[in-house]
Every structure is written in C-alpha cells, then in structure tokens.
Amino acid sequence: MKYSSIPSAQTVIRHCKANGIDNIVISPGSRNSPLTIGFSEDPSFKCFSIVDERCAAFFALGIAQQLQKPVALLCSSGSALLNYYPAIAEAYYSDIPLVVITADRPPQKIDIGDGQTIRQENVFDNHIGYSANLKLDIKNTNPLELSDTDRVKQASIQKHNDDQLVKSLEAAFNNKTPVHINIPFEEPLYGVVDMPIISSTTATRNEKELQVVEDLDSYIKLWNASKRKMILVGVHYPDEKVQQLLDSIANDPSVIVFTETTSNIHHPNFFGSIDSIIAPIEKSKDKEGLFQKLRPEILLTFGGLIVSKKIKAFLRKFSPINHWHIDQKKANNTFYCLSHHFKVEPNHFFEAFNKGIVAQASDYFSYWDHIKRGYQIKRQAYMDQIAFSDMLAFHHIFKNIPQRYQLQLANSSTIRYAQLFDLDPSLRVFCNRGTSGIDGSTSTAIGASIVKKEPTLFITGDLSFFYDSNALWNNYMRSDFRIIVLNNEGGGIFRILPGQEDTENFETYFETVHHLEASHLCHMYQMEYQKVENEKELDLALHTFFEKSHNPKLLEIKTPRVLNNKILLSYFDFIS
C-alpha cells in the first residue's frame, strides 16, 4: 500500500479512517492528488470518481442521505470547490453530514496572480457546521528528517491540524451537518512512501448522550384538555418505531395527522393529500368558518421542511394556541407561532408522551375524515375524465411502482404532484427539500441508489433533468436504476403559479420553452430509452419498465405544455 509523503495528507486520511468515514467522492485534480493517492490506495475506503464537482457533491449527499452518516468529498483548488456550494446548502438545511475536503495553494500563493487560486478559507461559512483551516507542513517530508527547530514548528502544525480535524468531524457526526476542511499543499504533490509517517489516530467523535425527555406533565395536561389537535409531519427518514408510536394516536377522535409525501408515515386515518383538504376551503363561500373549524388548538410538528404552501398559509393566518416542535437539533418557526421546542428525537418523545395522553371525545377527526373520503372518490372520478396530461401521467405512474422501491423525487412540479396522490406505504420517498432546488436531483438519486439493496425510481421534470444531465456521467448507475422524465417542454411549475403565462416574455424567461428530448443523452450514457405520448402508450410502457435489464432505463413522457396547468387547477374546482 502507498501513502502520500505529505504529513497533513496522511493526517486527514487517518482521522477519516479512525472515525469510520469510508465513502469518498473524488473529483479529479492535481492539487488534491496527495489525498487522492492516500484514499484510493487504502482498501478501507470506497472511492468514487465524479468529474463534475456539482454532481459529485449531490452524489455524495445521496449516499449520506441513505446511510445517515458522513460521506467525504474531495476536490482540487480554485473554482472547483465553489461547485460544491449548492449541495452544501442542501445538506445544511436538510441536516445531512458531508465532510468537504478541499485542497488549497500555500498561503503565500493567494492573491498574487497564481493559477487556479482563490480565497478558500471559510468560503462556505454561511452554510457550514464547522470550517477547519489546516496549516501548511514545514516540508513534504518525514518530520523525523527535519532539523530540531523545524521539528518543533512541525509539531505545532500537527497539533493544530489534529485539533481542527477533531472539531470538524465531531460537528459532522454529532450535529448532522456539513463541515469544510481546507488543506494547503505545496509541490511536489505526487510523492509516496511505503510506510506511514504519522502515528495512528483513534476515533475522536463522542458517542451521543442518552436522550432525556423533559417533564411532560404540563404538556400532556394541555393535550388532554384540547378537542382539536393537529400533528404535521414534514421530511422524515423512514422509521418503523416512530410509525408504530404514531399508529397508537391514529384512533383519537380529537387528533388529525397531516403527512407529507416525504414524511414516510402512513395510516388509513392520516391525511396524506393536504392540499386536497385546504384548496376546497379556499374556494368555499364559508371559507372563514371552515378554516376556524380546521384550526387546531395545539399543533405538534416534527420532521423537515414542509412542501405544501397551503398548509403554511393556513396555519400562519389561523394560528394554533400552541405550536410544539420535536427535533433534537432545531425548531423552525415556520408558522410564526412556535411556543415550545422539545429537543429530543421523535421516537423518544412519543415513547414518553403516549404514556400519559388519553383520547378525547371530539368530532374533529370524523368531520375532516368525511371530507377526505369525499375528495378521494372525486379524485378518481376526475382521473377517469381528464385528457392526457402531467396529472394523469402521475396517476398511472404511482399505481404501477412496485413495492419496496426507493422513490426519489425532483423539485418543483414533481414533488407537488406527488403530494396529491396516495403512495404505497412500502415506498421510501426522498426529495431535496432543504433548499428545494432543481440543481442536483438526478445526482442525489444516483448516489442514493448505490448504497441500498432496493431498486430506485427517480421521477423528474424536463428542466430538472436537463439541468443536471452531467449526473449521468459516471460508472455507478445500477442496471435496476429507473428514471421517468415528464417532458412538457418547459417549466410547468410557472404555469401553475400566478403569472402572465400567455406572453412571449413569460415563455422565454419563466417557462423557458424548449424542444429537447432525452434520447441522445440515453444513447451517450448507454441507457435504455422509451418515449410515450398518450395514455395507452404509457400503460403499455409501465408494464415492462420495471422488469430486469442489462442497463438502466429512462422513460420519457411527453405531455401538453399549455394544458397541464388547466387540468391541475380544475382538479381543485372539481373536488370542491
């Protein structure tokens, strides 16, 4: 096995190894070669080579999303690391741990006109859990070969670097956050030795302390005295224990549970299509009275960011008396009425909370459950009569996804359509909702797909797909990886939002009308490709789309650009 001859490179690698960071996503470069050599030569690490740094960062994010543990990123100096920023921001707001390692030029080379050199220290400060700026070694050599004076200086540098690495990795593990490690290297960069020159490093991260739930008596008393309680679940990693604990609340007539598609929480008594409840109220003559009837006395939330704009608008205007949020790390005041933050994981909270709560007589659940059953019947009737469109395509897609698939969803229209349908409870659903951007959805899905046994389906719109088309440029796509692209030749989300959708400026600068197809990309990246343009073709394609194949598959569904928004908006009129 070969080791880089540079002490600081060996130090970084040893800290990663000691702390169990074993997935390393590397983008090619020269300045990062000491680390590339060290990681790729050590069989303890699983290394991935992704050329495009933006794709590489989202690819790593997908792996970390699924493993729920830090994944390391490695790139060269200069603008390379700036391409990491979108994924770092997503990881920051989604509480996904990434260890971002960037090679830098020596300090004396900064701002003198040297090539591939920018100010890298603390460059991600607004969206990072910790920034570690390592110091340049005295020389690229064994410390034992230095003079006595230089050896003392190198020992001080080594201590600084060790301390910074300890702090950064502790933050990544304990706070579930991205961290940045910036490390300067001086040439020569490619020197190797047969034996390590840095002594072994032990694990530095602290084990999580046993979580203690605060005294809940006063909150349980309030809960039991209330006739209208609402539980709202945002982005949440699949968790059988939390599911079981919520199931025990499902039959309380004073509780309604709103679940988003990304919550991975299911029960026949829960409300999965939030907008299908709220949109008809918005159109009602008795809007004020119905919203007051829906208004909870207590709102209990957990999970990540909420997709539904309608539930946010409702709860901001018709505020609950109490809003409690459960999360070990943070509590966003999304509805401007946060009254308490339970700093504990949901399973620990509900284990303690459920012991004291008592079901209360109320018509809160029964009234809104009747509304829910009504719109479910009307939704099916609507699907039976509408023309081929995005909405009808999603209806057929969700009916045909095999059980136990990992389902990755792109942002904008895709995640919003998914919110309107009932998905099979065996599906594990994910979407980059931290910043809600379209920029790395495909890369995230591919990264997420390679670390789980179950096959993955990624559903995306055309703009998201073409925007991140470099995601396909890798050697890691599994043969059972599937992509469905809804191609309506533009940004369909902008036709749903208020705007002047019939003007030339709208089509050019908002909708960005195009006539691109995915067939040539599939040919270049050796993916099986199929295109459908009507309901019959879609049904036939879906019957074979998930069958085994030698290569990954992409199904492109062409839908009418100027009809989709009308059919979606008319859905809310129909169920009203």
Side-chain angles (χ1 to χ4, degrees):
M1 199 164 90
K2 300 293 184 183
Y3 303 86
S4 170
S5 61
I6 300 177
S8 55
Q10 286 197 22
T11 301
V12 170
I13 291 165
R14 284 194 169 274
H15 276 271
C16 289
K17 187 172 183 177
N19 286 279
I21 299 172
D22 45 18
N23 287 282
I24 318 294
V25 181
I26 302 171
S27 292
S30 179
R31 190 61 47 170
N32 59 332
S33 57
L35 290 164
T36 301
I37 291 168
F39 280 124
S40 61
E41 283 281 337
D42 191 329
S44 302
F45 299 106
K46 186 172 184 180
C47 295
F48 303 91
S49 176
I50 306 287
V51 174
D52 185 319
E53 284 89 1
R54 188 181 70 191
C55 295
F58 279 106
F59 180 89
L61 184 140
I63 298 174
Q65 173 201 84
Q66 293 302 305
L67 296 182
Q68 298 284 283
K69 60 176 285 190
V71 172
L73 276 165
L74 174 60
C75 74
S76 188
S77 63
S79 62
L81 67 151
L82 300 181
N83 291 293
Y84 283 164
Y85 214 142
I88 289 172
E90 175 63 34
Y92 182 77
Y93 287 108
S94 292
D95 298 325
I96 294 175
L98 293 178
V99 177
V100 181
I101 306 170
T102 60
D104 201 354
R105 302 278 165 142
Q108 66 271 19
K109 299 285 184 71
I110 309 299
D111 288 340
I112 65 166
D114 210 36
Q116 221 169 329
T117 306
I118 65 170
R119 300 171 191 173
Q120 294 185 197
E121 291 189 356
N122 307 316
V123 71
F124 304 122
D125 249 13
N126 284 336
H127 301 96
I128 207 77
Y130 190 83
S131 291
N133 296 299
L134 305 195
K135 291 184 177 180
L136 183 70
D137 294 305
I138 295 295
K139 292 181 181 178
N140 296 348
T141 186
N142 190 330
L144 296 177
E145 299 174 4
L146 299 173
S147 68
D148 289 344
T149 302
D150 283 347
R151 195 176 303 156
V152 171
K153 291 180 181 177
Q154 180 63 32
S156 176
I157 291 170
Q158 184 67 40
K159 184 180 184 305
H160 169 86
N161 289 351
D162 280 327
D163 289 346
Q164 285 295 296
L165 288 167
V166 167
K167 289 177 181 177
S168 61
L169 297 184
E170 280 185 344
F173 277 95
N174 296 338
N175 299 333
K176 295 190 297 184
T177 186
V179 297
H180 178 208
I181 300 168
N182 191 60
I183 174 170
F185 293 125
E186 181 60 282
E187 297 177 7
L189 301 169
Y190 294 90
V192 295
V193 293
D194 294 326
M195 296 294 292
I197 57 178
I198 299 298
S199 58
S200 61
T201 306
T202 57
T204 54
R205 59 189 172 93
N206 296 324
E207 293 298 323
K208 283 186 179 179
E209 295 180 4
L210 180 65
Q211 293 187 17
V212 178
V213 183
E214 63 186 278
D215 185 2
L216 296 176
D217 288 349
S218 60
Y219 300 99
I220 290 172
K221 186 177 180 180
L222 275 173
W223 183 271
N224 288 339
S226 302
K227 299 292 185 181
R228 298 194 309 275
K229 283 96 70 172
M230 179 185 293
I231 298 175
L232 174 60
V233 192
V235 175
H236 190 254
Y237 190 81
D239 188 323
E240 289 185 12
K241 191 168 187 179
V242 172
Q243 175 71 60
Q244 292 168 2
L245 290 165
L246 275 183
D247 286 348
S248 65
I249 305 175
N251 295 315
D252 188 330
S254 65
V255 177
I256 61 175
V257 181
F258 277 139
T259 60
E260 297 232 301
T261 300
T262 51
S263 72
N264 291 292
I265 297 289
H266 303 272
H267 190 281
N269 286 355
F270 294 169
F271 295 72
S273 181
I274 299 172
D275 287 3
S276 296
I277 289 286
I278 295 180
I281 300 177
E282 293 174 338
K283 297 176 179 293
S284 171
K285 293 179 180 179
D286 187 25
K287 177 169 65 174
E288 188 79 14
L290 287 170
F291 274 137
Q292 288 291 354
K293 194 172 182 68
L294 182 61
R295 180 185 186 182
E297 297 168 48
I298 297 174
L299 171 67
L300 181 61
T301 59
F302 68 93
L305 274 71
I306 301 296
V307 176
S308 172
K309 295 177 72 173
K310 293 185 183 298
I311 192 70
K312 285 186 278 191
F314 159 62
L315 289 170
R316 286 168 181 171
K317 184 175 181 180
F318 296 87
S319 302
I321 299 169
N322 289 285
H323 172 205
W324 306 335
H325 187 74
I326 312 161
D327 188 274
Q328 187 180 12
K329 181 179 176 183
K330 63 187 177 185
N332 293 318
N333 192 11
T334 304
F335 312 108
Y336 312 145
C337 58
L338 182 69
S339 54
H340 192 74
H341 176 198
F342 294 101
K343 296 180 180 180
V344 66
E345 291 181 352
N347 59 340
H348 293 292
F349 172 84
F350 285 111
E351 274 184 340
F353 191 68
N354 288 5
K355 293 175 183 177
I357 61 175
V358 179
Q360 299 297 311
S362 172
D363 68 347
Y364 191 46
F365 169 79
S366 60
Y367 180 87
W368 293 107
D369 185 60
H370 176 73
I371 301 293
K372 179 183 77 171
R373 295 181 188 280
Y375 83 65
Q376 286 175 334
I377 294 170
K378 289 180 179 178
R379 180 175 60 199
Q380 183 57 54
Y382 190 68
M383 294 302 136
D384 292 339
Q385 69 178 43
I386 59 175
F388 189 63
S389 56
D390 281 350
M391 190 164 195
L392 190 60
F394 277 108
H395 173 65
H396 286 282
I397 291 167
F398 291 137
K399 285 196 307 180
N400 284 278
I401 302 174
Q403 289 189 329
R404 292 179 291 279
Y405 255 63
Q406 178 185 160
L407 177 59
Q408 291 276 339
L409 300 172
N411 273 304
S412 294
S413 296
T414 302
I415 183 61
R416 286 175 170 80
Y417 273 112
Q419 295 269 101
L420 300 177
F421 295 93
D422 300 319
L423 273 62
D424 189 286
S426 71
L427 301 178
R428 297 159 48 92
V429 185
F430 302 90
C431 179
N432 287 345
R433 292 305 298 176
T435 59
S436 307
I438 69 169
D439 32 8
S441 298
T442 312
S443 298
T444 303
I446 295 172
S449 72
I450 65 172
V451 292
K452 289 294 180 180
K453 180 178 66 176
E454 299 81 8
T456 298
L457 169 65
F458 171 55
I459 307 177
T460 179
D462 48 339
L463 292 194
S464 297
F465 177 72
F466 292 126
Y467 193 99
D468 193 27
S469 60
N470 268 1
L472 307 178
W473 183 12
N474 67 79
N475 297 319
Y476 310 110
M477 272 195 289
R478 289 170 28 168
S479 62
D480 59 2
F481 187 69
R482 299 291 183 266
I483 300 176
I484 294 179
V485 180
L486 276 293
N487 188 344
N488 49 33
E489 298 186 336
I493 185 68
F494 292 104
R495 285 192 164 266
I496 298 169
L497 301 174
Q500 300 176 19
E501 54 269 4
D502 294 323
T503 67
E504 183 178 342
N505 279 356
F506 174 86
E507 291 183 355
T508 301
Y509 298 108
F510 290 89
E511 192 177 18
T512 55
V513 175
H514 67 85
H515 301 290
L516 303 175
E517 292 187 350
S519 56
H520 295 293
L521 283 170
C522 289
H523 177 74
M524 181 164 65
Y525 293 115
Q526 298 181 344
M527 298 183 67
E528 293 186 21
Y529 171 80
Q530 188 174 3
K531 180 176 74 173
V532 299
E533 300 187 67
N534 58 56
E535 186 176 6
K536 184 177 179 181
E537 289 178 353
L538 177 59
D539 272 338
L540 288 172
L542 288 172
H543 285 151
T544 59
F545 183 62
F546 297 101
E547 292 177 355
K548 288 184 178 180
S549 60
H550 293 294
N551 295 313
K553 294 182 182 180
L554 185 146
L555 174 63
E556 186 165 28
I557 304 172
K558 298 295 291 290
T559 62
R561 178 173 62 87
V562 296
L563 184 61
N564 287 315
N565 61 310
K566 296 179 176 62
I567 288 177
L568 175 62
L569 296 175
S570 295
Y571 164 71
F572 294 115
D573 292 328
F574 188 86
I575 65 171
S576 300

